Amino acid sequence: MVNTNTLAQMAEQLDLGSYLYLGKGIAKGGGRNLKSLLANAFEAVLGAVFLDAGYDAAYHYYLNRYRSLPAPAQDENFKGRLQQVAQERFGSTPFYDSEGARVGNQREYTSVVFAGAEPLGTGHGATKQEAEQEAARAALQGLGDGLVAKAAPKAARTPRPRKRRAPSARTAASPEEGSAPAAETLTIVPDPEPEPQAAPASEPEALPSPQRSRQFGEPLE
């Protein structure tokens, strides 16, 4: 009956999120819809009823609000359950490595839970607590519903991305299945030029013809 989700639902019924006095940063980041803030706001209202009218009034007020819920919310404590499983299996307490980053106007947290050197699960959430709960839930799923085992499962290795090579000339020219075969490329090679042959040595060299006069055509001495 008393957990964050249940109290947040009661606060949503009363629209307490619109009455919260928040800073500009968390208001822009969706702080009026955070379950933790809504649950705290309803607890403050319940405390005011107790101070003003006493215990019985606060008891009946809470009970009536709880009965008006369409379905009771369940708040599963994954971190507590994982702590039990980790101590049974590994003999150690799990610890969380959380880091926040701003995505647009909102802040998102990423948490990785460890029990030794091996990571067990990763979670994301709007708050650090939500990211750790999500990481614990992922770890419990990976461990198999909390059954006791002797050895811890090894974390799967992340495959390295392979670089694509540029297609070679043969690969680019090869036709795909079901497509028309590519035309063959013909290379024309010219015939080798014949080597020049030397003149035979037996033939005598031609003698120069005698010069003749232009007027009479007689040979000149």
Side-chain angles (χ1 to χ4, degrees):
M1 294 177 64
V2 181
N3 56 62
T4 302
N5 292 337
T6 301
L7 298 177
Q9 286 188 3
M10 295 180 182
E12 290 176 353
Q13 288 183 343
L14 299 175
D15 194 21
L16 293 183
S18 60
Y19 296 96
L20 296 179
Y21 184 74
L22 303 176
K24 295 182 180 180
I26 191 172
K28 292 182 180 180
R32 300 188 185 278
N33 297 324
L34 290 179
K35 293 182 179 180
S36 58
L37 296 182
L38 293 176
N40 293 338
F42 185 84
E43 288 181 340
V45 171
L46 187 62
V49 174
F50 169 75
L51 294 177
D52 185 66
Y55 176 82
D56 292 338
Y59 172 81
H60 289 288
Y61 175 76
Y62 180 84
L63 189 60
N64 293 334
R65 301 303 306 179
Y66 179 79
R67 290 175 177 175
S68 64
L69 293 177
Q74 295 182 358
D75 186 18
E76 299 183 10
N77 188 5
F78 297 111
K79 293 179 63 177
R81 177 58 183 166
L82 179 62
Q83 183 174 352
Q84 297 177 359
V85 175
Q87 290 177 352
E88 291 176 358
R89 293 195 180 191
F90 315 119
S92 61
T93 302
F95 61 95
Y96 299 83
D97 184 8
S98 303
E99 184 177 357
R102 183 170 296 278
V103 181
N105 295 330
Q106 298 182 357
R107 192 170 184 83
E108 182 178 355
Y109 289 84
T110 301
S111 181
V112 182
V113 58
F114 296 85
E118 296 292 336
L120 299 180
T122 305
H124 306 276
T127 62
K128 181 179 178 181
Q129 291 77 11
E130 292 181 4
E132 291 179 353
Q133 286 286 348
E134 189 68 18
R137 183 187 62 82
L140 289 174
Q141 289 182 351
L143 293 176
D145 298 334
L147 298 179
V148 179
K150 295 182 179 180
K154 296 183 179 180
R157 296 182 178 179
T158 304
R160 297 181 179 178
R162 296 182 178 179
K163 297 183 179 180
R164 295 185 178 181
R165 298 181 178 179
S168 59
R170 295 183 178 180
T171 306
S174 60
E176 298 180 358
E177 296 182 0
S179 60
E184 298 181 358
T185 304
L186 300 179
T187 305
I188 300 176
V189 181
D191 296 335
E193 298 180 358
E195 298 180 357
Q197 298 180 359
S202 61
E203 295 181 1
E205 296 181 358
L207 298 177
S209 59
Q211 298 182 358
R212 296 177 182 274
S213 63
R214 298 179 180 178
Q215 184 176 6
F216 304 103
E218 297 176 356
L220 300 176
E221 294 181 1

